[in-house]
Amino acid sequence: MAIYAVIAVLIVIEMGLVFGFFFPGDFLLIAAGILAGSYSDISWKSVVITVAAASFVGSELGFFVGKRFGYVLTRNNNPPSIQKAIATIKKYLASSGWLTVLLGNFAPGLRVFIPIIAGQSGMNRFKYASANALGSIAVSYTHLTLPTNREV
């Protein structure tokens, strides 16, 4: 169905590209859960799988963008709020990178920058991918388990 493709594309853009920062990712997840609970032809399980896969792919795209073009983000001509966010993310990645990536999936706004900064700072690929996979599954499941898709 087209709804799954639209959800996947929007999630990949939000998670993988810097301008995805402006996309309403949490609202999209909640709206997808409501749609899955309201219409019998939209499978709740398929929406969870679509969101988890799109979140994983989007974050991996962000990691690749950071590895390839991350130096652009660390220039000093960024606004102070972006510079502060980048410094904070780098600090957390240095001290507890795996946990930062995992929990970063739950932080709107920051979840766009964490993959890019992780790629730019050379985080271990396996550690990043494992934390990203677990975080993507967890965030999709927790955001989509609404009472509308279960009998009350």
Side-chain angles (χ1 to χ4, degrees):
M1 277 181 94
I3 190 75
Y4 300 119
V6 170
I7 291 169
V9 166
L10 290 175
I11 295 291
V12 167
I13 289 172
E14 186 219 357
M15 297 291 288
L17 303 174
V18 176
F19 66 85
F21 177 82
F22 299 105
F23 275 56
D26 288 340
F27 175 75
L28 176 66
L29 293 178
I30 292 170
I34 291 170
L35 283 174
S38 301
Y39 297 102
S40 60
D41 57 334
I42 300 174
S43 168
W44 175 79
K45 290 177 184 176
S46 296
V47 171
V48 170
I49 291 168
T50 301
V51 168
S55 176
F56 179 78
V57 168
S59 292
E60 291 295 318
L61 175 64
F63 186 86
F64 172 75
V65 167
K67 195 169 199 68
R68 188 94 163 117
F69 306 106
Y71 64 90
V72 174
L73 210 64
T74 58
R75 291 184 182 158
N76 288 333
N77 58 355
N78 289 320
S81 60
I82 301 249
Q83 289 178 2
K84 182 178 178 188
I86 291 170
T88 303
I89 292 169
K90 280 188 173 187
K91 182 179 85 170
Y92 283 114
L93 282 172
S95 64
S96 56
W98 192 87
L99 190 61
T100 300
V101 173
L102 175 74
L103 296 177
N105 282 290
F106 292 93
L110 288 180
R111 70 174 148 226
V112 175
F113 294 107
I114 289 174
I116 295 169
I117 301 299
Q120 190 261 340
S121 55
M123 184 175 180
N124 179 296
R125 186 86 170 107
F126 178 75
K127 283 176 64 174
Y128 177 81
S130 63
N132 180 25
L134 187 58
S136 296
I137 292 167
V139 78
S140 65
Y141 185 76
T142 57
H143 279 68
L144 293 170
T145 53
L146 298 173
T148 56
N149 50 26
R150 290 180 265 159
E151 290 185 39
V152 180

